[in-house]
Amino acid sequence: MMKITNEKISELLIIHTEGRLDAITSVEFEKEVMPMIQQSEHPVLIDFGKLEYISSAGLRTVLILAKETKKSNNSLALCSLNETILEVFRISGFDTIVSIYPTIEEWFASMK
Amino acid sequence: MKRIKNKRGLTFKLIIFIFLSVAIIFTLIFLDNYDISKKMVEKNLKLNAELITKNIVYKAEKILGSVQEIPNNFSKIIEDSSYSEAEINRILKMEVENNSEIYGACIAYEPFYFNSTKKYYAPYYYRNKKEIEFKCLGNEQYDYFIMDWYKIPKEINRPMWSEPYYDKGGGNVIMSTYSVPLYREKNGKKYFIGILTADVSLNLLREYFESIKVYKTGYAFMISKKGTYISHPIKELIINETIFSIADAQKSSEMRVIGRDMVKGESSFADTEYYNIKYNKLSRIAYAPVSLNGWSVGVVFPVDEFMKDVNNLFIRVMFLGLGGLFFICLVIIFISRSITSPLRKLSIAANKFAEGDFDFEIPPSSSNDEVGSLNKSFAHMQSALKKYIENLRLTTSAKEKIESELKIAREIQMGMIPRKFPAFPEKKEFDIYGFIEPAKEVGGDLYDFFFIDDVRLCFAIGDVSGKGTPAALFMAITTTIMRAENQIAGLNTSSVINLMNNYLCKNNEGNLFVTLFLGILNTSTGEVEYINAGHNYPFVIKCNGAVSELNTTHCIPLGISINTCSNPNTFKLEKGDTIFLYTDGVSEAFNIDDQQYSIKKISEILHNQANHTPFEIIQHIIDDVKDFSQGTEQSDDISVLAIKYLGKPLSKVPTQNYQMVIKNSIGNLSSLSEKITQLCNNWEMSSDVLNKVNLVVEELISNTIFYGYSDTFEHDIILNLMYDESTISIEIIDDAKEFNPITQKSADINSDINERQVGGLGIHLVKSLSDAFTYQREDSKNKIKIIIQF
């Protein structure tokens, strides 16, 4: 249900997601993404461009990941959220705890 | 209180007023009578008291007088000196024997006068019980030379009564002594040789005073010149107390004043009242002096006893008065009953009249008094009313007949006009509303609308010249032929109008005519074809709010002359446009100041009505006209018709339901979301709505699965999805433990990343995304219903 790939562009880690981040998939998502984040010493971006759906369980995972990066003085950002997902972030106040960029390029621009 | 009083009957009022008046008069008479009686009794009492007192004084003086007479006479004998000692003693003894008032008698000589060896020589005869005994007074213990009864007369050279004293060693009783000084002539000179005495025992006086009865407990007493009690019913007072010492003990200033007057030798019946010593009763006192020796006699009159007669009289008169009042009451009751009972009967009769029973017989009154005459007047009124009402009944029934016929005519006329709204509930292309209000029961205004085929709606508004029944009949003809001509297929509006005009002209005996606006609306395109035969220009309200008039007239009103109408005009109603038709009853409505409502005002109102339905527009106009005319009688029939074109409606989505049953395992959620996605795609829902539905379902169901069950059994969770035109409703029913998501405290969405918790976030999302959120606990089941609009 969930497809996760990652790439590194000049040391920066970008994690691409595809599918649904719900009560079931968020468990495997956390399992897979956590080690990547822990290993990365540079800012991490999760690309939600192909993510169709997120529920509170998904938000919980995002919070756990964000806390983890904060612990290791790293930073975590999200980009390319669709309208519905962005609304969920706004409603839950998550837009204030994770940086959200419209596109990967804008995130890059902010890194320079 | 006042209201209650007013409700009381005549009897009660009579009793109260007469009773009160009589009671007041009686009380005044009674008080006056009592006062006079009291004064009379007092006057009598005073005379009586003075008489009694004088009588007692007289008696006392008689006793004392007879006592003092003896030594007065006897002194001459002794001074004569020719009598021997034995003779003198015999005479002395005889005097005591023969005068019962005298207790004892003595001759006390100066020292050594009688016998040069004897200092004391005083032969004394006195009573001891029945016997007369002799004693020679005078020794060292009984040194009579210094005693008052001896010394004072000797000094003042005249006889006198001594103060009462206990003669110890002498008579040995309480007594008062009358002493006469004795002289003998020697060498032409008068020498004092001794004192001759006569004693009166105070017991004697006391016995006499005790025998005096004054009323029941009144009594008499006597005091000496110094105020010492000589006689008193209380023995202990005698000699021992004075009237002043008692006054001090009693703290009675009244008594002291009386005592002073008594000692002064005055006589009076004192006005002051005081409490007497013996019975401690309020008393008055009468007193008079005993002229012989300056003593004073007092007579005590207890107030209650001498006032007893007055008080008895008082009680007697009071009882008589009360009895009289009671009797008066009975008389009043009797009289007022005899007055009020015919009145009461009359009142019942009047009530019967009021209820419309004019045949009720008035109770006959035999009396010729005012009540009797009222009875007669009443009977007269009854017959007059009966006659009048009979007349009235005849007149009104004739009038009612006409009115009811007119009412039926109105119903028939109104029945010719479509007045049931919504007129075509199945047609969504337009909304139509009409209003008609004839100035009289029936009127000459008309409006009408009907489909002439599946899509074309014919509508018209018209106004027949004149009002009332003729206009109504002409209107009926017009409506009927309009419907008939429109049934002929393929005719345009001007042909219909021409045919109608021909018919109306041929059969117009009353020379009436009708203005008419006739239109045909193509409900699928909004195109309107119309003819105006002399009618007011209708308004068109564009959906953007612009208002314009359809200011074309095609021919003169119908029924005047046979001529031909020009070709009809056409225009197109866009979606949201409204055509508004009216008769001159609206524009020419008058107010109190005779001003007209005017077409301008209609147009002004219509300017901001683009968003309103025909019903609202017409309601607005009618209310405004009513406000304007302020109750001025409607002068002309009023009719209004409005049609709003709504365009061709979209095909409607029928309501659809879908039910799913999920077992309480989190793994089932993915297949559930697949099903929901499939369903929503079938319903052609946007992905945004789909995601919202999915999110709501996931949050609520996962909550139930994670936290709702404390056992490990399998449970069913029911999910109902209902979908219609604009909403999707989600209903979740589970048998988990009671949990009301609505009352949960709101989730933390503001604190920073370090403090941020995720608890309650799911419910928060559901609340935020849904348009309605309800919870019920029924039959041990949680029932959540959520509505999402799109």
Side-chain angles (χ1 to χ4, degrees), chain A residues 1 20 22-24 52-57 59-60 63 66-67 70 84 87-88 91-94 96-97, chain B residues 666-667 669-670 673 688 691-692 694-695 698-699 749 751-754 756 758 761-762 764-765 768-769:
Chain A
M1 284 301 291
R20 299 164 51 85
D22 59 23
I24 298 166
E52 295 160 8
Y53 168 89
I54 193 165
S55 70
S56 65
L59 291 176
R60 189 177 156 274
L63 181 66
K67 281 186 174 173
K70 188 112 196 263
T84 322
E87 195 186 350
V88 170
I91 293 168
S92 55
F94 267 55
T96 63
I97 60 170
Chain B
I666 199 74
L669 278 180
S670 48
S673 82
D688 180 50
N691 279 341
K692 278 185 184 173
N694 257 327
L695 187 72
E698 186 198 318
E699 296 296 354
I749 54 165
S751 56
D752 84 350
I753 184 165
N754 296 323
R756 187 64 75 97
V758 260
L761 202 53
H764 175 68
L765 287 173
S768 308
L769 294 174

Side-chain angles (χ1 to χ4, degrees), chain A residues 90-102:
Chain A
R90 280 200 201 106
I91 293 168
S92 55
F94 267 55
D95 52 345
T96 63
I97 60 170
V98 190
S99 315
I100 296 170
Y101 296 90

